[in-house]
Amino acid sequence: MNESLSTFFVRPGEFTFCDPARLYDRKIMNLRRIALLVAALGVVVAVCVQYGTNLLDSAKETVTALPTPGRPPVQVVTPPPEKGGPGKNVGINVAKENALPGTTDWKLKNPGPQNAIEGYADRVSVDPGDKFGLYVSTPARDFQVEAYRMGWYDGKQGRLVWSSDRVRGQRQAAAETTPQIYMARAPWKRSLEVSTQGWPEGDYRLKLVSAAGHDRWVPLTVRSKSAEGRSVFINAVATWAAYNSWGGANIYGGIKGYGDRARKVSFDRPYSGAGDGLFGWHELPMLTLAERMGIPLAYGTSLELDSEPARFKGARGMIFPSHDEYWSSGMRTNTIALRDKGVNLAFFGANNAYRHVRFESSPLGAERVVTCYKDAAEDPMSLTDTDEATQQWRQAPNPRPESSFLGIQYEWAGVLAPYVVTDPNVWMYKGTGAHAGSQYPGLVRSEFDRVFSDGNTPRPIQILSNSPVVINGKDKSFANSSYYTTVSGAGVFSAGTLGWTCAVDASPCWGKLPKETGKFATKVAENIISAFQAGPAAKAHPAVDNYEKYARPTGRFKYNM
């Protein structure tokens, strides 16, 4: 136990902040001070009585709330969920929820250094009413938690649903790293337990605010128990974890570089930076759009997609808002099964389903570790089950190109180019004013996908864009968007660029985008989400195959890092 913890937890033979002996110093005591000391001791004794129960419970790892000044605790009354008949709960009414008063207080004002305040939850997602633990580290004397449900809310994007009392702060232990695997975790004590009773389904930012004025987020999904008749918004938490470098390493590299990259990454640690993983830049803009539209929504994460497919029974569509790179076998199998039952799939990013991962348990529970060696030769699983070795899905020992269910697949990163329309008469371009050859600057950015002639591409597939890009300043290629339909009636859209989601809300993008780019991206997304929510899209919008015109062989580019 470190010094900051010893202030609030009692161990045999140690003083505490309530120990009167600490107020007594024989070297400097004089008669004139005795009267003042007696009065002070009376106050201290009263405080000790008030907090005695907390101190005696020091063996427990939960820190009790302090009644110190701050934002008054908030518990907002939430309208009851919509009903689909006697006893049938069909989930949240998104339009009514977003008509409630919003706020921009969810925004961070002063994150300060990484260790000023940071935390994580012991559950990535919970059912409404479930409890979860928060693990927080801060040198400040105390902190408060504010829970914001994220959405539209008349453009404010958040609503305060709950806030805690003040909670004692403590500087928690340093990262614990697994040798050779380079997996970091935060072996912390639980700071408080939170009940989500009364919280509506959706995506949340828990804002940690310290007494010193520093703030940082912790993400949480209040998932839907049923997706019947709804479009499901999926948080790509496996990808968030892969990119998280808290503790020294992520899947891409460590302190020394690629060699000491993490082979496994844990959810038992904060996210580096602002604390919310990739949610803000990659997902919040599309969530805001979908909630502004008011369509029936359900909510889930990579984890439910992996192991709880029954939650998505009867869904109309699946919304993958942006960068969703890391996929387990369960995620892939269950997504294809949904498609084959007529569920539409909308991928508004690029580089999706590129890496094969496994989920493993941590000391805090199941599916708290994401395993990805990025090289089958390194992965011990390749000795016993080659199907579960963790490398690119398209690579040996069992190549399964992601284009087989995405339509297109990843080629390269680091590009910035206009999005070039091929056929302006396709249904998703309706209302955009696009014509053949229309260009939308900045919409193709960072990573991109294209259609490959040797990638096991589903047919019929319609290539919606063909945007010239330059790789490494010299090599030329094309970025494509695609739409295909299946015998089940499902429609599958893939944007093929990481620029789409941020284009519907230019604020998180790199630099400024032209207004016409944002308007185009927004209208196309609205058209797709609306059509997919209506049911299997193939009947009203069958794909018109033009594969032969745009498909090209795999290039010489390799991107294993």
Side-chain angles (χ1 to χ4, degrees), residues 127 178 205 287 370 395:
D127 287 336
T178 305
R205 274 172 163 164
L287 175 68
V370 180
Q395 289 181 332

Side-chain angles (χ1 to χ4, degrees), residues 65-109:
L66 283 167
T68 55
R71 179 194 286 272
V74 172
Q75 183 67 59
V76 178
V77 177
T78 301
E82 292 293 289
K83 300 290 183 179
K88 185 177 181 182
N89 188 325
V90 296
I92 185 175
N93 185 311
V94 174
K96 287 184 178 179
E97 168 63 31
N98 280 273
L100 295 172
T103 179
T104 58
D105 287 347
W106 56 268
K107 295 181 179 181
L108 300 182
K109 295 181 175 63

Side-chain angles (χ1 to χ4, degrees), residues 130 136 210 216:
D130 282 355
V136 179
S210 79
R216 194 162 267 105

Side-chain angles (χ1 to χ4, degrees), residues 495-517:
T497 167
L498 282 189
W500 204 290
T501 292
C502 74
V504 306
D505 177 5
S507 58
C509 283
W510 303 279
K512 293 183 178 180
L513 286 174
K515 289 183 179 180
E516 61 267 25
T517 297

